[in-house]
Amino acid sequence: MILSAMLRVKMAWARPTGPRHEVVLSSRLRLARNLRAHPFPPRAPAEELKAALKAVFKASAAAKSLESAARLELCEVSEVDREFLVERRLASRLLISEPAHRGVVVGEREVLSIMVNEEDHLRLQGIDSGLCLEDLLGKVSALDDELAQTLDLAFHPELGFETACPTNVGTGLRASALVHLPGLALSGQVNGVLQSLGAAGLIARGHYGEGTKVLGDFYQVSNARSLGPSEEDLVSGVSKAVEELVRAESKARTELLRGLGKSRLEDMVFRSVGSLEHARLMTYEEAMQHLSAMRLGLSLGWELPADLTTVNELTVLSQPGHVQMLAGKELDAGDRDFLRATLLRGKLKS
Amino acid sequence: MLCARCKKKPAQFLIKNIVDNQVSEAHLCLDCAHGAAQESVAPALAGLLSLLGGAAPAPREKAPAKCASCGLRWTDFRKTGFLGCPACYDCFAVPLKGVLQEMQGAVRHSGKRPARSSADLRGRLDAALKSENYEEAARLRDLIRKGRAA
Ligand SMILES: [Zn+2]
Ligand SMILES: [Zn+2]
């Protein structure tokens, strides 16, 4: 399979159609699973990893929910391709750091996928647009059931699904939502609000975080625990907290529009539009900052030179791996910034 | 050995962390390991590391020195936060229970079980009996019984 063909296919999670999409960009749900017969990947020798990869690929080929899925061995694709998979959220940095005997299975529109031999033998995941964790649990759990027909999964009668790290044991579930919180960030409330989530047993962190840098006011909220409550209860805990965040963010946005705040907000958004329309060189971080401002303007109903679909798409396409994929070759940072600025200008004019 | 990050405190953990989009392994002290887990690899791991680095529950006399199946020692686990194989959960059941209680606030799974058609299990049970693999047969019989109970 040629990965660049995936550039033309729109990922389901980037469409601005899901519930609460004005604040929630996407939801992601994963179930960690392991094969009973093999050591966990961090401790498995090459031949064990190889056997596990083969077994998972074979089982996934028989699964109805992964019909017409692509199966990729990471050592068989280029470094640019692997970077692309990470940006597409189909592979993790950890998975691509040692490509040998690692793989991904990618289902239709990239909703359902499997990472093979990351921390665990299988990481089943579902990603879609907006706040849709309950729906994703249904889909991923159905895939899990299908795979369990042919794979002997490691399951402990008391502790549940056995995982390499005990932080995932039990359900193996992590439910997360990618939320856009520019209103709370601008009004200085974001840290307080996120800290209060911690008290509720949730984890909130900046998105695409390299170090402590939060890109474009995007944050990720997920459950901290995996053992004890049922899958449904864990998911509803995250959903409820995210609904609460949506309310707080919407309120913050409305308040920012009052009085003097409105011209300040307009100034910020239209400066960003100006940069996206005219800049000749743009780093990924700067692009995310401007796209975040545009997203805020659009959610307030302002007339801007691109719609939410385009803005969402550009947040994905602006990533370094995607820019290189568009160029068809590896580029140094300066060339990437040039190509990115050109891409953004072109999309905003049309 | 000193911590690779702060170069002050003794290294206690072997942690994979992500720096400039590259995954690297480093020997870190508790504070730095906590920080690294917090910012990149897995925030949940940060809590586990604090637990293992602090007054960590040491294996009581009952726990074996290492996993009979994969050879992992409890000290290896304390260094990385990773177990070696599914059997580790049985070998280290006693000390793990303490860790799980602290970290997860629970020691009993109440969610789903692996879905497996009972016909398939029965087929495999027959095969195990035929090949005189009684250990496997007992395990499968157990699974079938639990499937019915669930
Ligand atoms: Zn240190
Ligand atoms: Zn073991």
Side-chain angles (χ1 to χ4, degrees):
Chain A
M1 175 185 174
I2 301 161
L3 279 176
S4 58
M6 281 168 68
L7 275 173
R8 285 194 295 274
V9 185
K10 298 249 162 81
M11 306 137 292
W13 62 263
R15 294 167 308 148
T17 50
R20 312 275 180 274
H21 71 259
E22 70 284 4
V23 176
V24 186
L25 191 63
S26 60
S27 299
R28 175 174 176 268
L29 185 136
R30 68 108 158 114
L31 295 175
R33 297 290 186 258
N34 284 281
L35 304 178
R36 188 185 299 279
H38 305 282
F40 297 136
R43 208 178 157 77
E47 64 270 22
E48 298 271 8
L49 291 172
K50 205 171 155 184
L53 180 66
K54 200 174 153 201
V56 175
F57 272 12
K58 188 168 167 231
S60 73
K64 271 229 177 60
S65 30
L66 283 175
E67 230 168 18
S68 71
R71 272 168 285 280
L72 295 169
E73 280 201 46
L74 290 187
C75 54
E76 284 173 1
V77 300
S78 73
E79 211 168 302
V80 173
D81 288 343
R82 294 199 282 264
E83 191 62 33
F84 176 82
L85 289 170
V86 171
E87 293 178 0
R88 224 63 187 179
R89 303 166 76 194
L90 296 167
S92 65
R93 294 240 162 257
L94 183 64
L95 187 77
I96 68 163
S97 69
E98 281 170 78
H101 313 302
R102 265 85 185 173
V104 290
V105 182
V106 184
E108 227 175 299
R109 295 185 311 124
E110 301 171 36
V111 175
L112 283 177
S113 62
I114 309 175
M115 276 197 276
V116 191
N117 286 339
E118 200 228 33
E119 238 178 71
D120 297 297
H121 294 131
L122 301 101
R123 286 279 173 102
L124 316 178
Q125 74 164 7
I127 311 187
D128 213 338
S129 165
L131 182 57
C132 57
L133 289 167
E134 280 81 5
D135 176 54
L136 287 175
L137 175 60
K139 285 184 176 137
V140 179
S141 190
L143 171 60
D144 176 43
D145 291 346
E146 281 192 278
L147 295 173
Q149 298 296 331
T150 46
L151 296 173
D152 192 6
L153 299 176
F155 183 82
H156 189 284
E158 271 173 51
L159 299 175
F161 290 96
E162 292 159 323
T163 53
C165 185
T167 51
N168 298 311
V169 74
T171 57
L173 179 139
R174 174 136 310 138
S176 58
L178 180 55
V179 292
H180 186 219
L181 306 177
L184 290 169
L186 280 171
S187 58
Q189 302 175 66
V190 76
N191 286 332
V193 170
L194 294 179
Q195 263 161 29
S196 69
L197 290 178
L202 299 170
I203 295 175
R205 55 200 291 252
H207 184 57
Y208 302 132
E210 292 163 65
T212 49
K213 214 180 321 175
V214 174
L215 291 183
D217 299 320
F218 287 104
Y219 294 83
Q220 194 133 309
V221 178
S222 60
N223 57 306
R225 285 172 184 173
S226 60
L227 178 65
S230 69
E231 288 82 1
E232 289 75 16
D233 289 346
L234 287 171
V235 162
S236 98
V238 177
S239 283
K240 279 196 190 122
V242 172
E243 292 276 10
E244 202 59 54
L245 268 181
V246 171
R247 269 193 291 277
E249 170 65 20
S250 305
K251 191 166 158 236
R253 288 181 190 179
T254 319
E255 277 166 7
L256 282 172
L257 285 174
R258 286 203 194 118
L260 252 186
K262 189 176 181 196
S263 26
R264 228 179 280 139
L265 202 60
E266 280 179 337
D267 183 63
M268 184 194 88
V269 172
F270 285 98
R271 272 171 195 272
S272 283
V273 171
S275 294
L276 292 168
E277 275 180 335
H278 297 292
R280 271 12 190 201
L281 293 173
M282 191 170 289
T283 63
Y284 171 51
E285 288 73 19
E286 191 190 349
M288 285 299 280
Q289 179 204 325
H290 297 320
L291 290 167
S292 165
M294 259 190 95
R295 215 176 178 276
L296 174 60
L298 286 168
S299 82
L300 295 169
W302 298 354
E303 195 78 37
L304 298 176
D307 59 11
L308 206 47
T309 306
T310 309
V311 170
N312 279 0
E313 196 190 346
L314 288 173
T315 60
V316 177
L317 291 178
S318 295
Q319 300 177 94
H322 274 73
V323 170
Q324 296 185 82
M325 191 68 109
L326 284 168
K329 59 179 179 194
E330 268 188 63
L331 300 171
D332 65 34
D335 287 341
R336 285 205 299 267
D337 294 349
F338 177 77
L339 193 59
R340 182 179 296 113
T342 310
L343 167 83
L344 290 163
R345 280 208 314 279
K347 289 276 183 182
L348 253 64
K349 290 243 169 77
S350 57
Chain B
M1 193 190 319
L2 282 179
C3 168
R5 239 192 214 195
C6 65
K7 303 192 169 62
K8 282 180 192 138
K9 281 170 265 181
Q12 200 176 350
F13 297 102
L14 182 60
I15 297 297
K16 280 195 175 178
N17 63 331
I18 301 167
V19 182
D20 293 334
N21 286 345
Q22 296 294 318
V23 177
S24 60
E25 245 181 1
H27 291 273
L28 301 176
C29 71
L30 173 59
D31 290 342
C32 295
H34 194 272
Q38 200 77 286
E39 54 197 50
S40 60
V41 189
L45 185 62
L48 174 62
L49 294 174
S50 309
L51 194 63
L52 294 176
R60 289 165 215 171
E61 358 25 291
K62 262 200 204 155
K66 58 182 184 177
C67 170
S69 177
C70 74
L72 181 102
R73 290 163 303 170
W74 180 253
T75 50
D76 299 332
F77 169 65
R78 284 192 60 176
K79 218 155 120 188
T80 61
F82 286 96
L83 292 164
C85 76
C88 284
Y89 278 95
D90 292 317
C91 292
F92 302 121
V94 177
L96 265 178
K97 213 164 184 172
V99 170
L100 289 172
Q101 185 62 56
E102 271 297 304
M103 180 181 63
Q104 300 260 11
V107 287
R108 190 167 274 279
H109 172 63
S110 72
K112 72 183 286 193
R113 302 173 160 276
R116 196 176 292 137
S117 64
S118 57
D120 165 61
L121 283 177
R122 261 166 230 293
R124 284 159 34 140
L125 174 60
D126 286 344
L129 287 172
K130 215 167 274 170
S131 62
E132 301 190 0
N133 186 349
Y134 296 115
E135 206 178 316
E136 175 72 359
R139 193 178 71 76
L140 288 166
R141 200 173 280 134
D142 199 43
L143 274 177
I144 293 168
R145 214 176 40 233
K146 278 192 197 109
R148 229 187 263 138

